[in-house]
Amino acid sequence: MEIPRYSIVMPDSADLPTSPAGWRLEHSYARLPQAFHVSLMPTPVREPRMVVLNAPLAESLGLDASLLNDAALFAGNSLPPGAEPLAQAYAGHQYVHFTMLGDGRAILLGEQITPQGDRFDIQLKGPGPTPFSRRGDGRAALGPMLREHIISEAMHALGIPTTRSLAVATTGETVWRQDGGLPGAVLTRVAASHIRVGTFEYAAARGDKEALRALADHTRQRHDPELEGGHTEFFEAVMERQARLIAQWMHVGFIHGVMNTDNMALSGETIDYGPCAFMDAYDPATVFSSIDRHGRYAYGNQPRIAQWNLARLAEATLPLFHEDEKKAVEIANGLIETFEGRFKHHWLAGMRAKLGLCTDEDDDAALIESLLDWMNETKADFTNTFRDLTRGLGGSPEWHARWRERLQRQPQSTDEAVTLMRRSNPAFIPRNHKVEEALAAASHHGDLNPMHRLLTVLASPFDHTQDSPEFSQPADNTEGYQTFCGT
Ligand code: AMP
Ligand code: MG
């Protein structure tokens, strides 16, 4: 049977009114079939207070930061002009178990149209219960929200696609978690979209092909408007973004921690910062999440998991590849098989840059692997090993000599190689103990100074002129470090 083609035209934002603070909210997602969303309001909180406002991000969205010191707004007690709040429905493979989900503690206010004409979701995280909350309270604690703020800002400064945090406000209410009562907070998340692999799985699980088609068209209009081909071409674009994103994570030692299919965005942005962290000592088996007992989401597994998730996306969108199921499966399998090559391409390009290699030689992968093996054996700090290389130090003596010879075989000068390395190897990442220190000061003592100091350092991760051991050294004992979802 021929599936009817939806034509979702992005609304024309030209005559959209702009509020004094710069709000210009549109609602293209809300035009998707009813099954994808539920309208509802945030639940007001007792005593909203601003904790942090991301002024540069506000300005880039066309908002006037001086008019945004508005705790009521960022806690969900009042709404920006033109908001049409809704919770999004989705599903997901959590670990390997398929579940129907949805925004259990998030509410989308609308899509901000920037002065450049770009479209960004504005979403409150922690605004109270929704029909998808199940047994949860729909709330969030201050620590995990500030954690998301810090890590997503660090990712952005590292040049890695990510959702951003516009603001964090406290609620004056207590949220109850395993470890007792914690201060409640709401984070305002900005994302190219919140469409997840799980959103497609949701449409597929309902057996609603028209909804599936509408979602695919909508997503393509938002993220790949230039594509003219069919679903295959769109799927390749999605895959390519993921391959590049995961390679970028690997290049800085980032571990997402919960790569469930509901935490993978079609936009190719890093999303849902829960038990994530940057690795100190290099070990591909590193896991931080307290509940990841089998290491499914370990550092070294991330490319394989991304491919697994994309296979779930392919399954969910099978009817869009071809009306004949057998042919559709063939096409989908052929595409999924290309993931490894795509990932390796981006990984190798980035690793060459980290070593200052401006040309390609066949043995480069072996040179890189041999350094990683040495790092693994000696438990070398991931970030600082590469930072040391930019200063001409590091690696075993044999490896170092091999690397020097390799550098001499390329026509580029040493200066050029060093410039490339400085751009590719951060001097500063969010060290786990510095993040914890900042969160503890903010959550327990209301002291935001450590967080702001940390954010300042993380805003310039490639500034190799600063020598700040306090922010660049790993903690003395980092073994067994665990992070929690904060749910
Ligand atoms: P996450 O592990 O954060 O990706 O969340 C998985 C699912 O659980 C999502 O549907 C969330 O909306 C939901 N969830 C997480 N925390 C809460 C909470 N405190 N209250 C209600 N739902 C929640
Ligand atoms: Mg999630």
Side-chain angles (χ1 to χ4, degrees), residues 90 196 262-263 272:
Y90 53 85
R196 307 148 190 269
D262 56 305
N263 294 338
D272 271 2

Side-chain angles (χ1 to χ4, degrees), residues 90 94 100-106 125 128-130 132-140 177 196 258 260 262-263 272-275 485-487:
Y90 53 85
Q94 301 194 301
M100 295 301 249
L101 296 159
D103 288 333
R105 57 157 175 177
K125 193 167 171 181
T130 78
F132 306 107
S133 295
R134 295 187 289 180
R135 273 156 300 157
D137 57 7
R139 293 292 181 194
R177 299 292 182 260
R196 307 148 190 269
V258 218
N260 294 335
D262 56 305
N263 294 338
D272 271 2
Y273 291 89
C485 307
T487 47

Side-chain angles (χ1 to χ4, degrees), residues 408-472:
Q408 273 154 24
R409 281 200 299 275
Q410 65 185 15
Q412 284 77 10
S413 67
T414 307
D415 276 359
E416 281 172 276
V418 169
T419 304
L420 175 64
M421 292 173 74
R422 287 186 169 192
R423 262 194 282 126
S424 315
N425 295 315
F428 302 103
I429 49 148
R431 291 284 175 184
N432 301 320
H433 64 294
K434 297 308 285 181
V435 174
E436 295 304 330
E437 189 183 295
L439 298 185
S443 299
H444 305 313
H445 312 293
D447 176 8
L448 298 174
N449 287 321
M451 179 180 76
H452 285 298
R453 282 184 61 215
L454 180 59
L455 284 171
T456 303
V457 171
L458 296 176
S460 308
F462 300 106
D463 182 355
H464 289 264
T465 62
Q466 274 188 71
D467 191 21
S468 185
E470 182 193 347
F471 291 98
S472 60

